[in-house]
């Protein structure tokens, strides 16, 4: 297609989108072009946002912001404030020379809350919220078939990518699977709600049968992948089903890579009972039969 002439409206729209992205991720940026790699920098952003919320219409001066973040090193604070101001997360109350008071961007605060939820449960709560909103949207009489079709396409893409990630975790190391265990919480509820949404779309707009078929296949793939991952996770926990215990693979890796000193140090502080002088042969045979096998 021929290129459309660039208009002022198009430039302003693009800049608004970029500005929103910058504010969302300003709390995680080390500078204007990178994400932070030090959690302390995120804590500084959260402390600043909390201070702005308490200040209200009084807003904050530079000295007040530094006092709120007095527990953090000065160089960390200066770096964080420079980045947050550069990306628009913290701005002057009024754009005029010699402005001394600053305000925080609502977008940045919400973005940080969103990122924190993603860190807590791997996106489960966001998926529940998304499905709840989509339920309301497709039930709204004002929703068009195009809107419903786009919602189905977006959910299909999300479930496909989620299923692929779970499949990768199932085939990977048990350590990584345990780290990503929150992604397996509430999967049956998510699948059930998604199937209900699929049924609503198909009932209201039978013309979207092809799109709904793709969505249904993606939901089934997600359900199957989550069950397989959960099954492997449960197997790794043994008969105790205690995921806080280290899996066998972790011990094996440690034994193969650790030095003799570290191997010896593992048993420091452990006391082992001496074996009983006699065990009934039947009890030994029963214990062997009942022992879990990897």
């Amino acid at each position: 297609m021929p290129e459309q002439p660039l208009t002022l409206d198009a430039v302003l729209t693009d800049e608004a989108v970029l500005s929103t992205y910058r504010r969302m991720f300003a709390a995680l940026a080390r500078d204007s072009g990178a994400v932070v790699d030090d959690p302390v920098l995120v804590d500084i952003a959260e402390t600043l946002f909390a201070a702005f919320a308490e200040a209200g219409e009084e807003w904050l001066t530079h000295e007040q912001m530094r006092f709120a973040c007095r527990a953090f090193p000065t160089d960390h604070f200066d770096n964080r404030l420079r980045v947050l101001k550069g990306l628009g997360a913290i701005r002057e109350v009024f754009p005029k020379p010699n402005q001394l008071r600053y305000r925080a961007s609502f977008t940045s605060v919400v973005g940080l809350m969103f990122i924190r939820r993603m860190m807590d449960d791997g996106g489960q709560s966001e998926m529940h919220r998304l499905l709840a909103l989509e339920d309301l949207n497709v039930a709204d009489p004002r929703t068009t078939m195009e809107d419903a079709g786009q919602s189905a396409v977006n959910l299909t893409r999300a479930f496909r990518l989620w299923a692929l990630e779970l499949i990768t975790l199932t085939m990977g190391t048990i350590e990584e699977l345990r780290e990503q265990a929150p992604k397996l919480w509430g999967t049956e509820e998510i699948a059930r709600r998604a199937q209900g949404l699929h049924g609503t779309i198909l009932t209201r707009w039978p013309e979207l049968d092809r799109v709904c078929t793709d969505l249904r296949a993606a939901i089934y793939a997600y359900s199957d992948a989550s069950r397989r991952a959960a099954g492997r996770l449960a197997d790794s926990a043994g008969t105790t089903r205690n995921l806080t215990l280290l899996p066998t693979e972790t011990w094996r890796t440690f034994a193969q890579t650790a030095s003799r000193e570290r191997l010896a140090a593992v048993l420091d502080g452990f006391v082992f009972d001496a074996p009983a002088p006699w065990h009934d042969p039947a009890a030994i045979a029963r214990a062997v039969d009942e022992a879990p096998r990897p």
Side-chain angles (χ1 to χ4, degrees):
M1 297 180 60
E3 293 185 1
Q4 299 294 328
L6 189 63
T7 64
L8 180 59
D9 288 341
V11 172
L12 292 176
T13 301
D14 292 343
E15 183 57 32
V17 172
L18 293 175
S19 178
T20 300
Y21 275 99
R22 291 192 192 103
R23 292 173 190 170
M24 279 189 61
F25 295 100
L28 296 179
R30 181 174 60 249
D31 51 50
S32 298
V35 176
V36 301
D37 52 8
D38 186 355
V40 172
L41 301 181
V42 183
D43 295 336
I44 294 176
E46 286 193 325
T47 303
L48 278 175
F49 292 151
F52 276 108
E54 294 178 1
E57 295 183 5
E58 296 297 327
W59 300 293
L60 293 176
T61 64
H62 183 279
E63 291 74 16
Q64 289 171 324
M65 288 188 286
R66 181 67 190 107
F67 180 78
C69 298
R70 59 190 179 278
F72 302 100
T74 302
D75 56 340
H76 282 60
F77 168 78
D78 292 339
N79 171 270
R80 188 85 320 230
L81 183 60
R82 176 181 57 81
V83 174
L84 293 174
K85 290 169 62 177
L87 295 177
I90 293 177
R91 292 175 289 176
E92 295 87 353
V93 175
F94 301 107
K96 62 180 182 180
N98 303 319
Q99 176 62 238
L100 299 178
R101 293 193 174 274
Y102 296 87
R103 60 187 176 92
S105 168
F106 170 75
T107 306
S108 296
V109 176
V110 174
L112 191 55
M113 292 168 60
F114 164 78
I115 293 169
R116 285 296 189 185
R117 289 198 302 268
M118 293 290 290
M119 293 169 61
D120 290 338
D121 60 12
Q124 294 285 59
S125 60
E126 303 308 320
M127 200 62 178
H128 280 291
R129 288 179 173 86
L130 176 61
L131 290 172
L133 290 175
E134 294 298 342
D135 278 333
L136 296 175
N137 289 336
V138 298
D140 191 333
R142 296 170 295 180
T143 301
T144 64
M145 184 176 69
E146 289 73 17
D147 294 336
Q150 188 59 50
S151 296
V153 170
N154 292 337
L155 287 173
T156 299
R157 184 183 300 115
F159 276 113
R160 282 177 176 172
L161 293 175
W162 206 348
L164 290 173
E165 184 172 1
L166 293 177
I167 291 173
T168 304
L169 289 174
T170 304
M171 297 185 298
T173 63
I174 196 63
E175 291 91 342
E176 185 179 7
L177 179 58
R178 288 195 175 194
E179 290 177 0
Q180 302 296 326
K183 287 189 171 69
L184 303 176
W185 298 343
T187 54
E188 293 182 359
E189 175 66 15
I190 289 178
R192 184 189 65 78
R193 299 186 68 169
Q195 290 169 359
L197 178 64
H198 159 271
T200 303
I201 295 176
L202 190 59
T203 301
R204 285 195 62 183
W205 298 280
E207 301 87 347
L208 297 177
D209 57 339
R210 183 181 296 274
V211 175
C212 287
T213 298
D214 294 339
L215 176 58
R216 184 168 62 251
I219 295 171
Y220 287 155
Y222 162 75
S223 299
D224 181 65
S226 63
R227 283 193 296 268
R228 290 166 56 188
R232 187 186 177 203
L233 192 64
D235 290 341
S236 72
T239 57
T240 64
R241 293 294 186 265
N242 186 356
L243 293 176
T244 63
L245 299 178
L246 291 177
T248 306
E249 289 85 346
T250 302
W251 287 105
R252 184 179 298 114
T253 301
F254 176 78
Q256 294 172 346
T257 59
S259 63
R260 287 181 298 178
E261 292 75 13
R262 291 198 64 194
L263 284 172
V266 169
L267 300 182
D268 287 349
F270 281 81
V271 177
F272 295 90
D273 294 333
W278 171 256
H279 290 286
D280 181 66
I284 295 178
R286 185 169 59 255
V288 172
D289 290 338
E290 295 177 354
R293 292 179 174 79

